[in-house]
Short mmCIF file of all heavy atoms in Angstrom, two decimals:
data_model
loop_
_atom_site.label_atom_id
_atom_site.label_comp_id
_atom_site.label_asym_id
_atom_site.label_seq_id
_atom_site.Cartn_x
_atom_site.Cartn_y
_atom_site.Cartn_z
N PHE W 127 86.25 127.95 90.11
CA PHE W 127 87.42 127.33 89.52
C PHE W 127 87.36 127.10 88.04
O PHE W 127 88.28 127.01 87.28
CB PHE W 127 87.69 125.96 90.25
CG PHE W 127 88.25 126.25 91.69
CD1 PHE W 127 87.54 125.84 92.81
CD2 PHE W 127 89.44 126.89 91.91
CE1 PHE W 127 87.96 126.08 94.04
CE2 PHE W 127 89.96 127.18 93.15
CZ PHE W 127 89.17 126.70 94.27
N ARG W 137 96.86 135.99 95.82
CA ARG W 137 96.97 135.59 97.23
C ARG W 137 96.74 136.72 98.12
O ARG W 137 97.30 137.87 97.90
CB ARG W 137 98.25 135.07 97.53
CG ARG W 137 98.49 133.57 97.23
CD ARG W 137 97.95 132.71 98.22
NE ARG W 137 98.21 131.25 97.89
CZ ARG W 137 97.35 130.36 97.62
NH1 ARG W 137 96.10 130.68 97.68
NH2 ARG W 137 97.77 129.12 97.34
N LEU W 153 106.33 130.44 96.85
CA LEU W 153 105.34 129.92 95.85
C LEU W 153 103.97 130.21 96.53
O LEU W 153 102.99 130.69 95.76
CB LEU W 153 105.49 128.47 95.61
CG LEU W 153 104.36 127.75 94.88
CD1 LEU W 153 104.30 128.32 93.43
CD2 LEU W 153 104.67 126.26 94.71
N ILE W 154 103.80 129.85 97.81
CA ILE W 154 102.50 130.06 98.45
C ILE W 154 101.94 131.52 98.40
O ILE W 154 100.84 131.86 98.14
CB ILE W 154 102.53 129.61 99.91
CG1 ILE W 154 103.08 128.21 99.97
CG2 ILE W 154 101.17 129.69 100.58
CD1 ILE W 154 103.16 127.60 101.50
N THR W 155 102.92 132.50 98.60
CA THR W 155 102.43 133.81 98.64
C THR W 155 102.63 134.66 97.40
O THR W 155 102.31 135.84 97.38
CB THR W 155 103.14 134.64 99.81
OG1 THR W 155 104.54 134.69 99.55
CG2 THR W 155 102.85 134.00 101.16
N ALA W 156 103.22 134.01 96.38
CA ALA W 156 103.42 134.66 95.10
C ALA W 156 102.08 135.08 94.49
O ALA W 156 101.16 134.19 94.39
CB ALA W 156 104.26 133.81 94.19
N TRP W 162 105.33 133.22 89.83
CA TRP W 162 104.66 132.04 90.38
C TRP W 162 104.74 130.94 89.50
O TRP W 162 104.97 129.82 89.91
CB TRP W 162 103.12 132.52 90.57
CG TRP W 162 102.32 131.29 91.02
CD1 TRP W 162 102.15 130.80 92.31
CD2 TRP W 162 101.48 130.44 90.18
NE1 TRP W 162 101.37 129.69 92.19
CE2 TRP W 162 101.01 129.49 90.95
CE3 TRP W 162 101.27 130.49 88.83
CZ2 TRP W 162 100.09 128.48 90.43
CZ3 TRP W 162 100.39 129.51 88.33
CH2 TRP W 162 99.89 128.46 89.10
N ARG W 166 106.16 127.32 90.40
CA ARG W 166 105.22 126.21 90.30
C ARG W 166 105.74 125.14 89.36
O ARG W 166 105.60 123.88 89.70
CB ARG W 166 103.90 126.78 89.74
CG ARG W 166 102.72 125.89 89.65
CD ARG W 166 102.02 125.69 90.94
NE ARG W 166 101.11 124.64 90.83
CZ ARG W 166 100.19 124.27 91.85
NH1 ARG W 166 100.09 125.04 92.83
NH2 ARG W 166 99.50 123.19 91.62
N CYS W 169 108.30 123.10 91.08
CA CYS W 169 107.69 122.22 91.97
C CYS W 169 107.11 120.99 91.31
O CYS W 169 107.32 119.76 91.71
CB CYS W 169 106.49 122.97 92.72
SG CYS W 169 106.66 123.12 94.44
N PHE W 174 107.52 116.99 92.60
CA PHE W 174 106.43 116.00 92.86
C PHE W 174 106.02 115.27 91.50
O PHE W 174 104.99 114.73 91.42
CB PHE W 174 105.24 116.84 93.23
CG PHE W 174 105.57 117.57 94.62
CD1 PHE W 174 105.32 118.96 94.60
CD2 PHE W 174 105.99 116.99 95.76
CE1 PHE W 174 105.64 119.73 95.78
CE2 PHE W 174 106.30 117.72 96.94
CZ PHE W 174 106.15 119.07 96.87
N ILE W 222 110.40 115.57 104.84
CA ILE W 222 110.69 116.80 104.04
C ILE W 222 112.21 117.17 104.13
O ILE W 222 112.88 117.50 103.16
CB ILE W 222 109.76 117.98 104.42
CG1 ILE W 222 108.35 117.56 104.05
CG2 ILE W 222 110.17 119.33 103.67
CD1 ILE W 222 107.19 118.37 104.47
N GLU W 345 109.40 126.93 103.05
CA GLU W 345 107.91 126.84 102.65
C GLU W 345 107.49 125.36 102.50
O GLU W 345 106.43 125.03 102.82
CB GLU W 345 107.80 127.56 101.28
CG GLU W 345 106.50 127.63 100.76
CD GLU W 345 106.29 128.85 99.92
OE1 GLU W 345 106.38 129.92 100.44
OE2 GLU W 345 106.28 128.67 98.66
N MET W 346 108.33 124.51 102.07
CA MET W 346 108.10 123.11 101.99
C MET W 346 107.72 122.54 103.37
O MET W 346 106.82 121.76 103.53
CB MET W 346 109.20 122.37 101.24
CG MET W 346 109.35 122.69 99.83
SD MET W 346 107.89 122.22 98.89
CE MET W 346 107.90 123.48 97.70
N PHE W 347 108.60 123.04 104.36
CA PHE W 347 108.29 122.49 105.72
C PHE W 347 106.94 123.08 106.25
O PHE W 347 106.16 122.32 106.76
CB PHE W 347 109.33 123.01 106.60
CG PHE W 347 110.63 122.18 106.63
CD1 PHE W 347 111.69 122.61 105.81
CD2 PHE W 347 110.71 120.92 107.23
CE1 PHE W 347 112.74 121.77 105.65
CE2 PHE W 347 111.77 120.11 107.06
CZ PHE W 347 112.85 120.50 106.30
N ALA W 349 104.33 124.10 104.55
CA ALA W 349 103.12 123.63 103.83
C ALA W 349 102.94 122.19 103.98
O ALA W 349 101.77 121.64 104.01
CB ALA W 349 103.38 123.89 102.32
N GLY W 350 103.93 121.37 104.23
CA GLY W 350 103.89 119.96 104.36
C GLY W 350 103.79 119.28 105.58
O GLY W 350 103.28 118.16 105.68
N THR W 351 104.22 119.93 106.67
CA THR W 351 104.34 119.22 108.00
C THR W 351 102.88 119.25 108.66
O THR W 351 102.43 118.22 109.07
CB THR W 351 105.39 119.76 108.92
OG1 THR W 351 105.27 121.15 108.98
CG2 THR W 351 106.73 119.38 108.37
N THR W 353 99.86 120.01 107.64
CA THR W 353 98.85 119.36 106.91
C THR W 353 98.80 117.86 107.03
O THR W 353 97.82 117.21 107.28
CB THR W 353 99.00 119.81 105.38
OG1 THR W 353 100.32 119.63 105.07
CG2 THR W 353 98.58 121.21 105.13
N THR W 354 100.05 117.29 106.94
CA THR W 354 100.18 115.90 106.97
C THR W 354 99.84 115.36 108.35
O THR W 354 99.11 114.37 108.57
CB THR W 354 101.62 115.44 106.57
OG1 THR W 354 101.87 116.00 105.26
CG2 THR W 354 101.76 114.01 106.54
N THR W 357 96.02 115.59 109.27
CA THR W 357 95.23 114.59 108.57
C THR W 357 95.44 113.21 109.23
O THR W 357 94.47 112.58 109.56
CB THR W 357 95.59 114.47 107.09
OG1 THR W 357 95.55 115.81 106.54
CG2 THR W 357 94.71 113.51 106.41
N LEU W 408 89.79 113.42 105.13
CA LEU W 408 89.94 114.76 104.43
C LEU W 408 88.66 115.50 104.18
O LEU W 408 88.57 116.69 104.13
CB LEU W 408 90.70 114.64 103.12
CG LEU W 408 92.25 114.35 103.32
CD1 LEU W 408 92.92 113.82 101.95
CD2 LEU W 408 93.01 115.45 103.76
N PRO W 412 89.35 118.69 106.58
CA PRO W 412 90.45 119.21 105.71
C PRO W 412 91.42 120.17 106.42
O PRO W 412 90.97 121.10 107.22
CB PRO W 412 89.56 120.14 104.69
CG PRO W 412 88.38 120.44 105.42
CD PRO W 412 88.05 119.26 106.34
N PRO W 413 92.63 119.91 106.33
CA PRO W 413 93.59 120.68 107.34
C PRO W 413 93.51 122.12 107.01
O PRO W 413 93.77 122.97 107.85
CB PRO W 413 94.92 120.09 106.97
CG PRO W 413 94.83 119.17 105.89
CD PRO W 413 93.42 118.78 105.69
N LEU W 414 93.27 122.56 105.77
CA LEU W 414 93.16 123.99 105.48
C LEU W 414 91.65 124.17 105.03
O LEU W 414 91.28 124.16 103.86
CB LEU W 414 94.09 124.33 104.25
CG LEU W 414 95.44 124.10 104.55
CD1 LEU W 414 96.33 124.22 103.30
CD2 LEU W 414 96.08 125.16 105.55
N LEU W 417 91.06 126.63 102.36
CA LEU W 417 92.22 126.58 101.45
C LEU W 417 93.14 127.64 101.96
O LEU W 417 93.19 127.98 103.15
CB LEU W 417 91.77 126.89 100.04
CG LEU W 417 90.71 126.11 99.44
CD1 LEU W 417 90.41 126.38 98.00
CD2 LEU W 417 91.15 124.44 99.43
N VAL W 418 94.19 128.10 101.09
CA VAL W 418 95.02 129.23 101.41
C VAL W 418 94.28 130.47 100.86
O VAL W 418 93.90 130.35 99.64
CB VAL W 418 96.40 129.11 100.83
CG1 VAL W 418 97.27 130.33 101.22
CG2 VAL W 418 97.10 127.82 101.34
N PRO W 419 94.00 131.51 101.61
CA PRO W 419 93.23 132.60 101.16
C PRO W 419 93.60 133.13 99.80
O PRO W 419 94.80 133.39 99.51
CB PRO W 419 93.42 133.71 102.15
CG PRO W 419 93.73 132.98 103.39
CD PRO W 419 94.50 131.69 103.04
N HIS W 420 92.63 133.08 98.80
CA HIS W 420 92.84 133.61 97.47
C HIS W 420 92.50 135.08 97.52
O HIS W 420 91.92 135.59 98.47
CB HIS W 420 91.97 132.98 96.40
CG HIS W 420 92.32 131.61 96.04
ND1 HIS W 420 92.30 131.13 94.77
CD2 HIS W 420 92.68 130.47 96.75
CE1 HIS W 420 92.73 129.88 94.79
NE2 HIS W 420 92.94 129.46 95.94
N ILE W 480 87.18 118.99 97.84
CA ILE W 480 88.34 119.63 97.23
C ILE W 480 89.35 120.06 98.36
O ILE W 480 89.73 121.12 98.55
CB ILE W 480 88.05 120.81 96.37
CG1 ILE W 480 86.94 121.75 97.00
CG2 ILE W 480 87.62 120.43 95.03
CD1 ILE W 480 86.83 123.10 96.29
N PRO W 481 89.71 119.09 99.24
CA PRO W 481 90.57 119.43 100.32
C PRO W 481 91.98 119.91 99.94
O PRO W 481 92.69 120.56 100.76
CB PRO W 481 90.81 118.01 101.10
CG PRO W 481 90.50 117.06 100.11
CD PRO W 481 89.48 117.56 99.11
N PHE W 482 92.35 119.58 98.71
CA PHE W 482 93.59 120.20 98.17
C PHE W 482 93.39 121.45 97.25
O PHE W 482 94.39 121.89 96.69
CB PHE W 482 94.38 119.20 97.41
CG PHE W 482 94.89 117.93 98.24
CD1 PHE W 482 94.16 116.81 98.34
CD2 PHE W 482 96.17 118.02 98.76
CE1 PHE W 482 94.59 115.70 99.08
CE2 PHE W 482 96.55 116.92 99.53
CZ PHE W 482 95.82 115.82 99.72
N GLY W 483 92.12 121.86 97.23
CA GLY W 483 91.90 122.98 96.34
C GLY W 483 91.66 122.45 94.87
O GLY W 483 91.41 121.29 94.66
N SER W 484 91.65 123.39 93.97
CA SER W 484 91.43 123.06 92.55
C SER W 484 91.98 124.21 91.66
O SER W 484 92.52 125.17 92.18
CB SER W 484 89.87 123.02 92.42
OG SER W 484 89.43 122.81 91.06
N ARG W 486 94.37 126.38 89.17
CA ARG W 486 95.76 126.64 89.08
C ARG W 486 96.59 126.54 90.37
O ARG W 486 97.68 126.27 90.38
CB ARG W 486 96.02 127.95 88.48
CG ARG W 486 95.77 128.08 87.00
CD ARG W 486 95.63 129.46 86.51
NE ARG W 486 95.42 129.52 85.01
CZ ARG W 486 94.25 129.17 84.44
NH1 ARG W 486 93.17 128.74 85.09
NH2 ARG W 486 94.23 129.23 83.14
N ARG W 487 95.86 126.89 91.48
CA ARG W 487 96.59 126.98 92.78
C ARG W 487 96.39 125.66 93.61
O ARG W 487 96.79 125.57 94.82
CB ARG W 487 96.18 128.20 93.53
CG ARG W 487 96.74 129.41 92.87
CD ARG W 487 97.16 130.48 93.74
NE ARG W 487 98.42 130.43 94.24
CZ ARG W 487 99.24 131.51 94.24
NH1 ARG W 487 98.90 132.65 93.80
NH2 ARG W 487 100.50 131.39 94.75
N ILE W 488 95.82 124.59 92.93
CA ILE W 488 95.72 123.42 93.72
C ILE W 488 97.05 122.90 94.26
O ILE W 488 98.06 123.28 93.76
CB ILE W 488 95.17 122.33 92.79
CG1 ILE W 488 94.79 121.07 93.61
CG2 ILE W 488 96.13 121.94 91.66
CD1 ILE W 488 94.11 119.98 92.81
N CYS W 489 97.07 122.29 95.45
CA CYS W 489 98.22 121.82 96.21
C CYS W 489 99.14 121.09 95.18
O CYS W 489 98.69 120.08 94.57
CB CYS W 489 97.97 120.94 97.32
SG CYS W 489 99.40 120.32 98.13
N PRO W 490 100.32 121.56 94.94
CA PRO W 490 101.21 120.78 93.99
C PRO W 490 101.74 119.51 94.50
O PRO W 490 102.16 118.66 93.74
CB PRO W 490 102.38 121.75 93.84
CG PRO W 490 102.43 122.62 95.02
CD PRO W 490 101.04 122.72 95.50
N ALA W 491 101.51 119.23 95.84
CA ALA W 491 102.08 118.07 96.40
C ALA W 491 101.10 116.84 96.56
O ALA W 491 101.25 115.98 97.24
CB ALA W 491 102.67 118.35 97.85
N LEU W 494 102.50 113.45 96.19
CA LEU W 494 103.24 112.99 97.21
C LEU W 494 102.37 112.62 98.52
O LEU W 494 102.43 111.60 99.09
CB LEU W 494 104.20 114.13 97.84
CG LEU W 494 104.94 113.88 99.03
CD1 LEU W 494 105.92 112.75 98.87
CD2 LEU W 494 105.73 115.16 99.54
N ALA W 495 101.35 113.50 98.70
CA ALA W 495 100.46 113.23 99.90
C ALA W 495 99.57 111.95 99.59
O ALA W 495 99.33 111.18 100.55
CB ALA W 495 99.47 114.40 100.02
N LEU W 499 100.11 109.64 102.95
CA LEU W 499 99.07 109.55 103.98
C LEU W 499 98.61 108.04 104.13
O LEU W 499 98.68 107.53 105.29
CB LEU W 499 97.86 110.38 103.60
CG LEU W 499 98.11 111.95 103.53
CD1 LEU W 499 96.91 112.69 102.96
CD2 LEU W 499 98.46 112.47 105.01
C1 HEM D 204 97.43 116.38 103.82
C2 HEM D 204 98.21 116.94 103.05
C3 HEM D 204 98.01 118.20 102.38
C4 HEM D 204 96.85 118.99 102.09
C5 HEM D 204 95.42 118.62 102.42
C6 HEM D 204 97.18 120.22 101.43
C7 HEM D 204 96.35 121.11 100.94
C8 HEM D 204 96.66 122.25 100.33
C9 HEM D 204 95.80 123.31 100.02
C10 HEM D 204 94.26 123.47 100.27
C11 HEM D 204 96.43 124.32 99.37
C12 HEM D 204 95.95 125.71 98.90
C13 HEM D 204 95.18 125.56 97.57
C14 HEM D 204 94.62 126.94 97.14
O1 HEM D 204 95.18 127.90 97.52
O2 HEM D 204 93.65 126.84 96.45
C15 HEM D 204 97.82 123.83 99.31
C16 HEM D 204 98.86 124.62 98.65
C17 HEM D 204 100.20 124.21 98.73
N1 HEM D 204 100.71 123.01 99.17
FE1 HEM D 204 99.59 121.60 100.06
N2 HEM D 204 98.56 120.21 101.14
C18 HEM D 204 99.09 119.01 101.76
C19 HEM D 204 100.49 118.69 101.68
C20 HEM D 204 101.45 119.37 101.15
C21 HEM D 204 102.82 118.92 101.22
C22 HEM D 204 103.31 117.56 101.79
C23 HEM D 204 103.53 119.87 100.60
C24 HEM D 204 105.01 120.00 100.23
C25 HEM D 204 106.03 119.22 100.64
C26 HEM D 204 102.58 120.95 100.14
C27 HEM D 204 102.94 121.98 99.36
C28 HEM D 204 102.04 123.08 99.03
C29 HEM D 204 102.46 124.28 98.32
C30 HEM D 204 103.96 124.76 97.98
C31 HEM D 204 101.32 125.05 98.17
C32 HEM D 204 101.14 126.41 97.48
C33 HEM D 204 100.71 126.33 96.01
C34 HEM D 204 100.47 127.60 95.35
O3 HEM D 204 100.15 128.55 95.93
O4 HEM D 204 100.51 127.54 94.11
N3 HEM D 204 101.41 120.55 100.51
N4 HEM D 204 97.96 122.63 99.87
#
Side-chain angles (χ1 to χ4, degrees):
F127 290 116
R137 277 280 185 243
L153 172 63
I154 302 179
T155 62
W162 172 83
R166 181 84 194 191
C169 241
F174 306 121
I222 295 172
E345 187 151 285
M346 289 299 144
F347 281 98
T351 46
T353 45
T354 305
T357 308
L408 287 166
L414 296 168
L417 302 180
V418 177
H420 284 226
I480 46 170
F482 292 93
S484 176
R486 285 166 177 73
R487 292 216 84 136
I488 188 174
C489 175
L494 174 65
L499 296 172

